[in-house]
Structures are given as structure tokens and as C-alpha cells.
Amino acid sequence: NYAFWGTQPVAQFGEQPGTSDADGAIDKPKDVADVRPEPYGLPQNFEWVTCNIDNDDELREIYELLSAHYVEDDDNMFRFAYSKEFLRWALQPPGFKAVWHCGVRVSTTGKLVAFISGIPATVRVNASTLTTVEINFLCVHKKLRHKRLAPVLIKEITRRVNLHNIWQAVYTAGVLLPKPVSECQYWHRSLNPKKLISIGFSRLAQRMTMARTLKLYKLPDQPQTPGIRQMEDRDVPQVTALLADYLQKFQIAPVLDEEEVRHWLSFQPDVVHSYVVEGPDGTLTDLLSFYTLPSSIIGNDQYDSLKAAYMFYTVPGATPLPQLMNDALILAHSTGHDVFNALDIFDNQKILKELKFGIGDGKLRYYLFNWRVAHEIPTNKVGLVML
Ligand code: YNC
Ligand code: MG
């Protein structure tokens, strides 16, 4: 029973299968002129604010809200701790709009207590190329939970997006809502097993000593693939083509032009790490990338932060995927990451076990707003990564 989501243009549970055998919009086409011109009402003493990420103080306010109130694991041991540099990268891709960085303040004190964001993205779903926004960083201060503020934030961002003649959105969440396009699972590969065990992220396996565990997860210092190096600006045209060609084989994937590839894949230490494999003739044959998303460790007195690498866009060309991913592990380890996380999307299912990933608990669901797919998309046909 979804009091809010039941009213929204999203696929619903228990819809007659076969009602529609084709992908398509759920709402009838609408006009920008018919979009509500005024913001949705907020409770007394709250007001809307457009956050200006270019202003360090405003960026810090978002950072602080998310640091204290954003996503935690089911056992409330860890909370995502996106860095300010990361937030800037995530919220300001080409064509970003400040009005889609939407906050709520307490009128009397000015304190930022809620946030939701959208960024422009072209996403292909099966044969349809959709102009969408990716919605992320929905967050309500812990003291204001369960007051139905989230639906107001979602309606307001929808209004602000619709005013730009955009009617579809993509988002991911751990929670089950009507109705996932795909349900994926995180896998984790220990890079620093001693710390992971000490903070309770993982446990010593049965009949394993610490010494054997360290040996099991030990990695070389240097990547093994000849010709692998950090991605540079001059690589952007070739990487754009390489990635576009690879993403064809997935049922949901972004469509990225050169400017977007430059934004999403330019190497930024501890934000996004991108590497290419250059063949002897100078042609780029492979791409690997991961992003850095630390989590704060709640109530541990030895460590306060866990540094995690998350697989981003990786294209195996001349290099087999297991070898490329092993280099990703090596590069993440040598840059101080404690764990490497990957979803069972792309072709990952085939290789996670041999690379000593273990399955996580909890799922990540992919959703589309105002777009129905005739059939759920299998995880190995998902080619989209959201931050
Ligand atoms: C969620 N994550 O089911 P019903 S992911 C969407 N995404 O509605 P209240 C969610 N909806 O069941 P609270 C949701 N979590 O009655 C809950 N809901 O239909 C639904 N957590 O609202 C829920 N960030 O205000 C229910 O709940 C209704 O105070 C209840 O607030 C929720 O960014 C939340 O996990 C998540 O900060 C803000 O718990 C709060 O609990 C919180 O009473 C920690 O809300 C942080 C966290 C979510 C991360 C994410 C993607 C968000 C996608 C939003 C949907 C976008 C739709 C497309 C819009 C553009 C359209 C165009 C064009
Ligand atoms: Mg609420």
C-alpha cells in the first residue's frame, strides 16, 4: 500500500501483465504551459531554496546534511559520506540546472533540513532514447522523518523538471517501491581485510586465520595489463566511441557525448579514477573506472571512515574483463581504498566470484518515472551506473 507512489505515473505492482506489451510513457503527453507555475506548499516555517553549489558555504551545507542524515546500511553501522568535491562532480555535469538542486530551509534559522537533486541525462531504454533527469540525494533530516515531506520534495522536483519540458526520470534506491525496472545486488571485495574485520564490515571466515585472510586478499602493487595508464583529456574522443559501442549491448544505458565523457571520466583523485589501456599503435582498447565514496563508521573508536571504491564504467576490449577488474582492484588498493564494491550489472556476474567478491546484503533497485517497460530488465542487461 503506497499512499504516495500509488498516485504517481510509475508502473504499479499487480498490473495486468499484457496490459501493455510495449515500452512507453504512462501519462498522456502534457504541455509546459499546463505545469503548475508555483512551488508546492511546505509546512509552516519551512521554505524552498535553490542551492548554489558554486558557493562553498552552500555546498558545505548540503555536505553536512548528507553526512549526518543520508543513507545508512540496514544495521546502522555505516553512513555514506560523499565528499564536497564528489558532490560538485555529481551535481554539475554538462547542462546542469541550479533549480534542480532543491533544498528546504527552516525559515527562522535558515538551517538546511532537506534536499533532492536532478541532473540532465540521456538514457536509452531498449529502443527508446529518453531525455531524462537522474534523481539523487533525496534526504530529510532525521528529526523530520515520517511527516510526508519526501512526497513534497519529489513533487516539487518533478514540477521543476517538467517546466523544462522533461517528463521522464531515472533513480535508484535500496527500498522497494512501485515498480523496479531491475533489482540488483552489491558485491564487495576486501582490499584491507584487517580493517574491514575490525570495524565489523566483514568477518573472519570459518577456519580462517587473519594471516590466511591477508594472504587470500593480497594484491600486487602495480596493475598487470601492459599499456594501462591514467585517462587523459586527449583520450576523450576515443573513450566516448569505445564506451558508446560497448553500451549498445545493454537494455538500459546512458548516451554520453564527448563533453559528458570528459566530465564523468576525467581523473580526479578520490572522486573518480579512470584508466585506459593503450595498444602499441596508440589505439585505446579498454577503459576502467571507479569512484570513491567513503562511509562514516558509526560509533567505532578506532576508525571513523571506510574508504570504498565503486565500479563505474569499465569496457573490456583487448583485455578480458577479469584481468581488467583485477587491475581495478590493484589500483583501488594502491590508492588507499579499503573495499571495492560492484553491482551484478554489466557482465560482472560471470567474474565476481573468481575475483573474491562476496555478495552483500540489501538490493539496489532501478526505477523509471513515467516510463513503462514491457518486461523487467535482467541485471546483466543493465549498463547504467548511478552515484
Ligand atoms: C526513496 N528512497 O515509500 P508511500 S535514494 C522514493 N525514494 O511513500 P516521508 C521514497 N520514495 O509508500 P521519510 C523513498 N523512501 O506512502 C521513502 N519513500 O507511497 C516514500 N532517508 O515519505 C515512501 N535517501 O516523508 C512513502 O518519509 C513516502 O521522512 C514517505 O523520508 C524519506 O535519492 C527519505 O535513504 C528517503 O532521508 C527522504 O527517509 C528519508 O522517511 C531519508 O514520510 C535517508 O516516501 C536517506 C535516503 C534516499 C536515497 C534517492 C533517489 C530518490 C528518488 C525519488 C523519486 C524521484 C521520482 C522522479 C522525480 C522527477 C520526475 C520527473 C520528470
Ligand atoms: Mg518526512
Side-chain angles (χ1 to χ4, degrees):
N1 186 0
Y2 292 91
F4 170 65
W5 281 110
T7 68
Q8 297 299 298
V10 292
Q12 301 292 330
F13 293 115
E15 272 180 4
Q16 260 347 70
T19 339
S20 166
D21 285 333
D23 291 7
I26 295 169
D27 273 339
K28 290 193 197 75
K30 287 187 200 164
D31 227 66
V32 172
D34 300 327
V35 178
R36 183 190 220 260
E38 74 278 3
Y40 282 89
L42 283 169
Q44 271 290 306
N45 201 29
F46 293 98
E47 60 190 44
W48 294 113
V49 54
T50 288
C51 299
N52 174 12
I53 312 288
D54 289 324
N55 178 303
D56 288 342
D57 292 328
E58 293 184 43
L59 176 60
R60 184 178 37 76
E61 288 182 283
I62 299 169
Y63 165 78
E64 285 173 358
L65 174 72
L66 297 179
S67 297
H69 305 283
Y70 199 52
V71 177
E72 299 180 7
D73 68 299
D74 289 341
D75 303 322
N76 309 101
M77 293 171 68
F78 309 100
R79 183 165 54 242
F80 283 149
Y82 290 88
S83 69
K84 282 179 273 203
E85 301 68 36
F86 189 112
L87 289 171
R88 220 173 229 144
W89 174 64
L91 292 171
Q92 296 194 317
F96 83 87
K97 290 184 173 50
V99 284
W100 298 344
H101 303 155
C102 178
V104 174
R105 285 190 197 285
V106 175
S107 313
T108 42
T109 63
K111 189 181 164 69
L112 186 73
V113 291
F115 187 71
I116 190 167
S117 68
I119 53 167
T122 306
V123 177
R124 181 181 53 78
V125 181
N126 295 314
S128 311
T129 298
L130 306 176
T131 300
T132 75
V133 290
E134 293 182 359
I135 302 292
N136 205 348
F137 305 114
L138 166 61
C139 185
V140 168
H141 190 291
K142 289 189 176 193
K143 290 203 169 138
L144 296 172
R145 297 278 170 87
H146 313 299
K147 297 175 187 295
R148 312 302 297 183
L149 210 53
V152 186
L153 286 157
I154 293 166
K155 285 189 283 185
E156 179 60 13
I157 193 86
T158 302
R159 192 187 69 80
R160 292 181 184 201
V161 169
N162 288 167
L163 282 172
H164 286 85
N165 199 23
I166 295 174
W167 308 91
Q168 269 79 35
V170 191
Y171 48 105
T172 56
V175 293
L176 180 63
L177 305 165
K179 184 187 155 182
V181 170
S182 193
E183 297 195 79
C184 305
Q185 211 131 21
Y186 267 112
W187 289 66
H188 311 284
R189 205 294 188 180
S190 298
L191 304 176
N192 184 355
K194 200 169 177 188
K195 175 171 171 184
L196 295 178
I197 290 169
S198 130
I199 62 178
F201 183 90
S202 48
R203 256 178 289 184
L204 211 52
Q206 277 192 7
R207 279 173 268 118
M208 280 286 276
T209 61
M210 185 60 85
R212 281 179 64 198
T213 304
L214 296 183
K215 194 169 164 230
L216 176 69
Y217 291 117
K218 194 167 168 45
L219 288 162
D221 294 331
Q222 298 291 329
Q224 311 284 291
T225 305
I228 194 164
R229 57 165 177 81
Q230 274 188 22
M231 184 177 153
E232 293 170 20
D233 197 63
R234 63 183 162 102
D235 301 324
V236 164
Q238 274 199 72
V239 167
T240 305
L242 197 66
L243 190 55
D245 180 55
Y246 178 66
L247 292 177
Q248 301 270 25
K249 67 179 211 162
F250 300 98
Q251 286 176 241
I252 181 167
V255 178
L256 299 168
D257 65 21
E258 287 190 9
E259 275 321 297
E260 292 170 311
V261 166
R262 177 171 286 114
H263 177 83
W264 291 121
L265 291 170
S266 289
F267 197 99
Q268 264 187 270
D270 289 352
V271 173
V272 59
H273 291 223
S274 315
Y275 303 83
V276 292
V277 179
E278 182 173 342
D281 64 350
T283 325
L284 303 185
T285 55
D286 313 78
L287 167 72
L288 92 75
S289 63
F290 54 87
Y291 61 86
T292 302
L293 168 49
S295 280
S296 45
I297 307 171
I298 304 164
N300 183 292
D301 27 61
Q302 200 187 351
Y303 296 103
D304 52 20
S305 172
L306 166 71
K307 186 171 166 183
Y310 287 75
M311 184 194 176
F312 198 37
Y313 290 97
T314 291
V315 178
T319 313
L321 184 59
Q323 185 185 331
L324 205 56
M325 282 287 275
N326 199 55
D327 277 348
L329 299 175
I330 293 166
L331 290 160
H333 176 251
S334 69
T335 48
H337 296 80
D338 299 314
V339 63
F340 194 101
N341 300 329
L343 289 162
D344 55 0
I345 61 174
F346 300 114
D347 288 321
N348 293 349
Q349 269 175 62
K350 290 187 232 163
I351 62 144
L352 292 167
K353 281 196 181 130
E354 65 181 284
L355 291 174
K356 299 169 186 164
F357 281 76
I359 195 161
D361 39 25
K363 293 192 164 163
L364 186 72
R365 276 105 176 178
Y366 282 74
Y367 297 98
L368 291 169
F369 186 89
N370 192 25
W371 195 259
R372 179 182 283 116
V373 290
H375 306 284
E376 189 176 317
I377 297 179
T379 59
N380 66 344
K381 290 293 175 188
V382 174
L384 173 71
V385 180
M386 289 192 54
L387 303 173

